Amino acid sequence: MSVAKSRIAALAALAAVTLPAASLAGATAAQAAPVRAVPGYQTWQADVEQAVAPVIPWLQNRLGEGVEKPAIVLDIDNTALETYYHASRANGPVLNVARWAEEHGVAVLFVTARTSSASARQQLEDAGYPVDAVCTRDHGESKGEGKARCREELTGDGYTITANIGNRSTDFEGGYFEKGFKLPDYNGQLS
């Protein structure tokens, strides 16, 4: 056998062994979707800024229409507070919206999956937020159920929730708000 033919035979034998293994590895990788890393802090802040950019113009429009007892609802973890990146620190772009709201007579309400309103209120006030009310999830409620119940109770108190800001789908389940503004959660990695 010539040298060229023996190289081809060797490559063919190698391919016969490695191709099935590569195919299995490919199938395994395809079945388990790759988990993308949570982006760095600066990227997250840019994404948050983009998500909340339309909130103040929306509120200005609603105030111009004379909405009664206007309010915004904020989720706490990874929305109002930078829980993933810096525990207990205010999320700057969201804090700016909350301060603008307070300055323009819009109530700042918090709806959270947490179960303790006293500790949540203290943490929010320490971070610089104006806090008109905090509503927490009851034990045994799902996150979505608790948040919907809270918004229903707040509208029952006469508030018109003009903007609802959160980072998870459960922040928007069940209605009782006019417009939702979703912050990034990167496929559920920021809960």
Side-chain angles (χ1 to χ4, degrees):
M1 180 184 284
S2 74
V3 172
K5 285 184 180 179
S6 81
R7 282 188 186 161
I8 291 173
L11 287 174
L14 181 61
V17 171
T18 57
L19 285 178
S23 296
L24 288 175
T28 304
Q31 291 167 351
V35 177
R36 296 172 60 194
V38 174
Y41 179 74
Q42 294 304 323
T43 299
W44 178 63
Q45 283 292 279
D47 292 347
V48 168
E49 186 69 46
Q50 182 178 358
V52 299
V55 176
I56 291 174
W58 166 259
L59 293 173
Q60 289 171 324
N61 182 57
R62 292 299 290 130
L63 291 173
E65 294 171 349
V67 64
E68 291 188 34
K69 205 172 177 183
I72 61 172
V73 162
L74 303 175
D75 169 52
I76 296 177
D77 293 305
N78 297 306
T79 299
L81 299 178
E82 298 181 347
T83 310
Y84 179 85
Y85 294 94
H86 306 104
S88 301
R89 190 162 98 181
N91 185 354
V94 177
L95 179 60
N96 291 339
V97 168
R99 287 181 173 164
W100 186 94
E102 179 190 40
E103 291 168 6
H104 292 85
V106 177
V108 180
L109 313 173
F110 294 87
V111 170
T112 181
R114 295 180 181 192
T115 56
S116 171
S117 63
S119 64
R121 176 182 286 274
Q122 188 62 55
Q123 195 173 24
L124 292 163
E125 289 174 348
D126 290 348
Y129 278 95
V131 180
D132 291 298
V134 176
C135 185
T136 59
R137 178 173 55 101
D138 289 337
H139 291 284
E141 281 183 316
S142 73
K143 291 177 182 180
E145 290 169 343
K147 291 181 178 200
R149 176 193 46 77
C150 284
R151 289 190 307 272
E152 180 180 17
E153 289 175 5
L154 292 165
T155 57
D157 291 341
Y159 290 108
T160 302
I161 301 171
T162 57
N164 182 26
I165 304 170
N167 73 321
R168 299 295 303 261
S169 61
T170 54
D171 295 325
F172 305 98
E173 291 175 6
Y176 297 99
F177 61 91
E178 293 180 341
K179 188 168 178 80
F181 298 89
K182 186 173 182 315
L183 276 57
D185 72 351
Y186 307 109
N187 297 318
Q189 293 185 74
L190 295 184
S191 58

